Amino acid sequence: LGVLEEKSKALTVRVGQEPAHLDRLVVLQHLFDEAGRTFRDWRDARVWMDRPVAALGGASPRVAIRDARAASVAEVLGTLNAGIPA
């Protein structure tokens, strides 16, 4: 199982949410985890959340999350965490 699938199963047991809502929670948890690995300071993460990101079509991560693109934001964070500029 992938990391997201494992987290999804764990949340299902603890929360008992419907799968559609659970999927969104798992993606947001993954995004939070990636932000923690990418930024040493949460203030830097908050600043990044409001800056336009080319990989998100020029949208800020905050706007992308609001537009139901949290998985895309998590991917960008993963790329940054791997040392690849986004």
Side-chain angles (χ1 to χ4, degrees), residues 1-6 9:
L1 292 177
V3 173
L4 292 179
E5 290 170 332
E6 288 176 16
K9 284 190 173 192

Side-chain angles (χ1 to χ4, degrees), residues 1-83:
L1 292 177
V3 173
L4 292 179
E5 290 170 332
E6 288 176 16
K7 287 183 180 184
S8 178
K9 284 190 173 192
L11 285 172
T12 299
V13 172
R14 284 187 280 145
V15 180
Q17 295 280 341
E18 293 294 318
H21 295 97
L22 182 60
D23 289 344
R24 292 180 74 187
L25 288 173
V26 170
V27 169
L28 288 172
Q29 179 62 50
H30 180 65
L31 188 145
F32 182 80
D33 292 345
E34 283 296 329
R37 283 189 286 276
T38 305
F39 298 99
R40 294 180 189 261
D41 186 325
W42 285 107
R43 289 175 289 205
D44 293 337
R46 284 193 298 270
V47 168
W48 180 80
M49 291 292 291
D50 291 318
R51 289 192 176 153
V53 175
L56 297 172
S60 71
R62 188 178 312 276
V63 168
I65 293 166
R66 187 192 66 215
D67 293 344
R69 295 188 295 146
S72 297
V73 176
E75 286 178 25
V76 170
L77 282 168
T79 301
L80 290 172
N81 195 33

